[in-house]
Amino acid sequence: MKTISNAIPCLVALVSIAVLPGHAQLLVQRFEPVGFSQVTITDRFWKPKLDKVATATLRACIVQTEEKTGRIRNFEKVARHQNEKHEGIYYDDSDVYKALEAMAYSLKNHPDPAIEQKADAWIDKIAAAQLPDGYLNTYYTLTGLDKRWTDMEKHEDYCAGHLFEAAVAYYNTTGKRRLLDVAIRFADHIDSTFRLQNRHWVSGHQEIELALMRLYHLTKQDRYLKLADWFLDQRGHGFGKGVIWDQWKNPKYCQDDVPVKDQKEITGHAVRAMYQYTGAADVAAATNDAGYMNAMKTVWEDVVYRNMYLTGGIGSSGQNEGFTEDYDLPNESAYCETCASVGMVFWNQRMNLLTGESKYIDILERSLYNGALDGLSLSGDRFFYGNPLASAGQYGRSEWFGTACCPSNIARLVASLGDYIYGRSEQGIWVNLFVAGSTTINIGKTAVPVQQETSYPWAGTVRLRVDPARPVTYALHVRIPGWARNVPAPGSLYRFRDTTATAAVEILLNGKPVVFREEKGYAVIDRTWKKGDIVEMKLPMDVRQVASRKEVTSNQGRVALQRGPLVYCVEGADNAGRAWNIVVPDRATFSTKPYQVLDEPVVAILANVSVAEAAPDGLTVQMKPRTITAIPYYAWANRGKSPMQVWLPGRIKAVKLTE
Amino acid sequence: MKTISNAIPCLVALVSIAVLPGHAQLLVQRFEPVGFSQVTITDRFWKPKLDKVATATLRACIVQTEEKTGRIRNFEKVARHQNEKHEGIYYDDSDVYKALEAMAYSLKNHPDPAIEQKADAWIDKIAAAQLPDGYLNTYYTLTGLDKRWTDMEKHEDYCAGHLFEAAVAYYNTTGKRRLLDVAIRFADHIDSTFRLQNRHWVSGHQEIELALMRLYHLTKQDRYLKLADWFLDQRGHGFGKGVIWDQWKNPKYCQDDVPVKDQKEITGHAVRAMYQYTGAADVAAATNDAGYMNAMKTVWEDVVYRNMYLTGGIGSSGQNEGFTEDYDLPNESAYCETCASVGMVFWNQRMNLLTGESKYIDILERSLYNGALDGLSLSGDRFFYGNPLASAGQYGRSEWFGTACCPSNIARLVASLGDYIYGRSEQGIWVNLFVAGSTTINIGKTAVPVQQETSYPWAGTVRLRVDPARPVTYALHVRIPGWARNVPAPGSLYRFRDTTATAAVEILLNGKPVVFREEKGYAVIDRTWKKGDIVEMKLPMDVRQVASRKEVTSNQGRVALQRGPLVYCVEGADNAGRAWNIVVPDRATFSTKPYQVLDEPVVAILANVSVAEAAPDGLTVQMKPRTITAIPYYAWANRGKSPMQVWLPGRIKAVKLTE
């Protein structure tokens, strides 16, 4: 068994560029993320959500994993050696690992000995199910080990990846290494079975690449970086033909049509694509490889400029759980799988780390607050698999799914929010997300406690207080959100209709306006910081009307409402049961008010618009001026089924008379 | 090789009840169908369609089968023994057989030496691909014969069934027996491999049962009846577990949850269900088995009273290509696969033969003229796989499909129309469908030429002239269509809203009203018939408004329009691009007019209704009295994509402002 030092930092490793043969090198300015285990969250928006995950969501995951399905029983059966039958589907192990990973993050935010005890008990069962050679997969162990590693489609490596991620997270929170040792043994088994023998294997569902990079950053063992790179490099050479793609599935469905470094557009299954890109960006950041870097930048533009919903959701079609044609973004049938939005958060974080550009965090924030968060009910125990942008009333949240990737995925994302807020290098501090709480960041040998106060996303003021033990010089980078500026990137799918009346972003240092330079989308203040220094950023929180590029035919003549990072929607529950009968005329006026969606305090938008109503005779229609209430998109579908729309007609083209 | 006498009648065999062990016997009055090869069709509605199939549809099938896909090449590859690769999907052979079957029927209606030559050439290739032991399947022969008959899901028996049907049809039209000999050899191979060894095999896609019954009726060899019965009897005992159903597919999906004789409701994949029921009714008719008979009657009520669209289409969900909950009949997302409507025609014909009840022909007619015919474009070379009852403009017809079951299926159905018009016994003649043309029916030793004149379905008069060489006594049964009577069966899904103003059905004998008895839905006239006797039936052709049972929530507050057997729809192409903005108030009035949909002469319905329109300002809505044009449902989607609805609001409940 391989051992690693106890001195592994809980922070991910400092930026160090590994040189792998065959990688063209590029130099970029970089910083590293501050890990969740170093961040305390007290935020009024997020902390209750973290607590809901710690209680309701984890409880749902545990009940489903342990009682209502056989996911945990499968591990017990392997350990018992009684030749018992596997229950469920071949990728069900992954849900156990993802739930464990969510527990790991959650134990940092919301310590709970019962949860930790449960996690330790699961880890015992998992460890007991590992074979002497390191292999660990209940499906093949119970259905026939002779068939292991024969079918690239069967998610063995995907399950392994989720095990690695859980192991790293659990170690980072608790310092306990039992699961990490299991992960390392399994990773070494895979490395020996494939890379070291150059036995081809195209992962049927990418995930192991990014997971190996987590293992690499924690253990600093080059073999995991090399193995991640090797897995990426397996794609696009035809090794998957007839296995993960055939006459039924297109090679593009699996991102296996061309090598990763030659990929230029997103195709196929959205979640597989996201996980692959995350892994590729991770490897690019570690190796400075220009091939991955350029491919990922090109693909990113294809995703964000031609294939992304306003909510940051991606993948318009349920049929392939993925992509169709550019600009094909239907609202009612939008698939926008929760896992794909989670993947957008992962990938955009890595792109930000790779390039230092804040535009990636703009997209991360869009997906996080809208497309991803929508996957979790306000109660924490109901879920959306798909997240459509319009509903005629047919959509409701579920307790669980046969293929249950989404619940534990949104749980682990929310619980790991601390991973996405801050970055650091020896010369600077980066503030990416506006979430009240605190951390301590080392600049050289000086510890710099950072405290953030904000009522974001409801209000636009963010206060950052730094308290270095002694004065220290560094550059503070505060992200100026893309939505607070009025310049859409060339090719952007969406733009604000009104760009004149909006106040500019203001930044104050110790109460006074300060001159800052803008670099890669950040406001940068270079100075020698001292205890008690306060930086305050004020973002304009106007209600904004959004329009789409004309190529998005489903949004033509329509507007959406956005305030801060939040996309809004009109739901029947707030509007006499209707949401499809509204016209937002040019003269519409907007205001905001504090509002409750169940127990969730939100800021609602009130809009003075025109509403089409059936006259009392039931045979004629009349258009009435009405004030409608729009709520944040993430909060819809929590009060039963009712119609909903994000994109509202700005002019009437046609009238449908319907239920 | 088995030989059969040249004296095989082209008519299917006279009704003779085979006694199989274990079948409880029931006695029913029966008649036999007059086969297509004995019927000449001159009808103004149908003959142009038969001609289109003979030219455009068969050409499309031939080009797709022979050139654009590898379906024929697969047979050539088998014959060449060069170890070449199979092209396409494992069930592609079936499309070759179905196209051949369509050619066979078509050669009767529309003789064409080039088509016959093409058919003979294909038959040579098929014969050359048969193995010495009778096995014939290009997929397994090219991908590994060691795997043949190992996977019940892989449609080997389904392809065999389609071969048998093609062989019987081609023999019936041409008297050529080459393909029939191939079929017989393969059927004997299957019988020896399974039934005679009692080796379990649950067909993954039923079809072989009904096909074996065709072979039985032609050859009168008991072993095919026994084998059909054996295949049916394999279901519902768990033999399909883990093979055709598993954790992914429910046993109900495959109609394999209970034995066929215990089945009480339709479940799962609609086409598989239809083919199974057709085979079961066939076996029941041949054996008088009470088990199959009662099961099929119970299941029929479940289909027709709880799960059938007004168009006779079935299977509301695309996800399983089949059934969901009772009364779940959404219109816009209706799947209603063309093949399932074709299957409804098959099954209802067999139920009519089994029971003598005309209600089955009412349903056959509904499916034929609406749900099935809609699958074929007016041009004959475009197809619908699904046939929704509402479109927001998204649906268009296709040239072909990857899984190409529907095009050749609708081709063979239309081309075999002659099979469904007449029935006979030693004591009577039955007229089931109203299609102009002629046949000759033997009563005892007297040939009775029957000539039918009608402009059905556009006009309600049907004239039947009989010309027996000498006076002959028999009972003439003329179906009185269910739609021409006002009594819905208890539990019927649909009823006419207006039941008072309609004229009664009139029947004249040689110009004078005649007293007839009504039996099993037929007007029966018993007499001694002489040359030149003319029976005339006059059906009321009013425009009827249809309402649904309240359980069908998707149709609540809505009405549909029907005239004669035809269901109508409102399509944007005739109504300024809109079809969802119409209210049919109680005071709506209707008239009809001759109309053209491309080159198709139809009777259109004009309706004075209320239409919601966007006012010129684009911001308000107004309700205007308008005359809209409704066309027969089967004729929609021939003029590009535009919105369409069958069920129109009778009162406004809600208003959607939309594209």
Side-chain angles (χ1 to χ4, degrees), chain B residues 17 42 85 120 129 136 188 196 241 278 284 289 309 321 336 420 427 432 438 440 567 647:
Chain B
I17 302 302
T42 56
K85 280 209 155 182
D120 286 335
L136 177 46
D188 293 348
L196 298 178
K241 186 175 176 181
T278 302
D289 182 279
Y309 284 93
E321 302 193 310
C336 287
Y420 300 94
Q427 288 81 40
N432 272 335
S438 58
T440 296
V567 173
W647 290 96

Side-chain angles (χ1 to χ4, degrees), chain B residues 181-199:
Chain B
D181 290 337
V182 170
I184 285 170
R185 276 195 297 268
F186 195 12
D188 293 348
H189 165 92
I190 295 172
D191 196 33
S192 310
T193 306
F194 295 102
R195 182 179 67 99
L196 298 178
Q197 301 185 35
N198 204 20
R199 172 177 157 193

Side-chain angles (χ1 to χ4, degrees), chain B residues 629-645:
Chain B
T629 302
I631 60 166
Y633 171 73
Y634 78 80
W636 83 283
N638 282 289
R639 296 161 297 178
K641 291 182 180 181
S642 73
M644 182 277 292
Q645 281 205 114

